[in-house]
Amino acid sequence: MAKEERKMSRSEFEDLQKELHYLETVRADEVTEQIKEARSFGDLSENSEYDEAKNEEAKLYAKIAEIKYDLAHAVLIEDDLEAEAEGRVGLKCTVTVLDLSTDEEEVYYVTGSKEANPLEGKISDDSPFGRAIVGKVAGDIATIESINGKYDIKILSVERKNRD
């Protein structure tokens, strides 16, 4: 089985490391205190505070495991100065496209799969749409293969700027 990769920038990787450190130290201590306090209320079988604290502990450990997994499978994507100079689509690009079948303009921000959110216009470079446009420059035509069939788009502009 192929190793699953999590593409991310160095800053995203460092942000995850900071979040992990916070969760494993400060937040873990807070949850431990919640559990201790809830235990002091007596009978655990009817103690909603204890149940709530244990649920919070489970969520915390799940989040820690998720971040550790992402960090272990991280593939750092450095900003490619050559691609930027050439105006090619890549990670952290804002791309304006024209759907040639509907004549509608759309704007997308290209991210790694973890940050993707199509409803916010953030598309993964590993999605069918992302794979079709990565490496293209303004003026290029790309064919997108979707579950509804193929359609063509024209790249109108490529900008490198962060969007959060």
Side-chain angles (χ1 to χ4, degrees), residues 4-163:
E4 187 173 336
E5 296 179 345
R6 302 279 194 221
K7 295 178 186 173
M8 61 183 74
S9 68
R10 179 161 302 286
S11 65
E12 291 163 330
F13 183 82
E14 290 169 356
D15 287 347
L16 279 178
Q17 287 179 315
K18 288 176 190 171
E19 182 179 3
L20 178 62
H21 178 73
Y22 167 78
L23 293 175
E24 289 181 324
T25 57
V26 176
R27 188 68 187 126
D29 290 346
E30 291 171 351
V31 170
T32 300
E33 278 303 311
Q34 283 179 316
I35 292 171
K36 278 185 195 175
E37 185 177 329
R39 276 191 182 141
S40 72
F41 297 148
D43 184 10
L44 299 182
S45 65
E46 295 180 17
N47 187 331
S48 64
E49 288 86 0
Y50 180 76
D51 291 340
E52 187 177 321
K54 290 301 280 183
N55 284 338
E56 191 63 32
E57 180 183 48
K59 285 188 234 175
L60 172 67
Y61 287 126
K63 184 66 176 171
I64 288 172
E66 177 186 341
I67 292 172
K68 283 183 174 181
Y69 182 88
D70 289 345
L71 290 172
H73 294 87
V75 174
L76 296 183
I77 306 297
E78 299 301 326
D79 290 334
D80 184 350
L81 296 177
E82 183 179 321
E84 184 175 350
E86 294 174 2
R88 287 187 282 134
V89 176
L91 281 178
K92 295 190 172 189
C93 283
T94 299
V95 183
T96 304
V97 301
L98 176 67
D99 183 328
L100 296 177
S101 62
T102 63
D103 206 34
E104 291 182 24
E105 280 188 29
E106 297 171 338
V107 178
Y108 297 100
Y109 183 69
V110 182
T111 69
S113 59
K114 189 75 176 166
E115 298 78 36
N117 184 340
L119 297 176
E120 294 178 2
K122 295 178 179 180
I123 59 161
S124 167
D125 64 327
D126 201 31
S127 67
F129 191 93
R131 284 193 303 269
I133 66 171
V134 167
K136 302 277 194 249
V137 297
D140 284 353
I141 305 291
T143 300
I144 311 299
E145 293 188 35
S146 74
I147 57 173
N148 297 326
K150 294 181 181 183
Y151 64 98
D152 291 329
I153 61 165
K154 181 176 184 175
I155 309 293
L156 299 178
S157 68
V158 178
E159 298 176 50
R160 293 239 180 221
K161 61 182 177 183
N162 286 332
R163 184 180 119 186

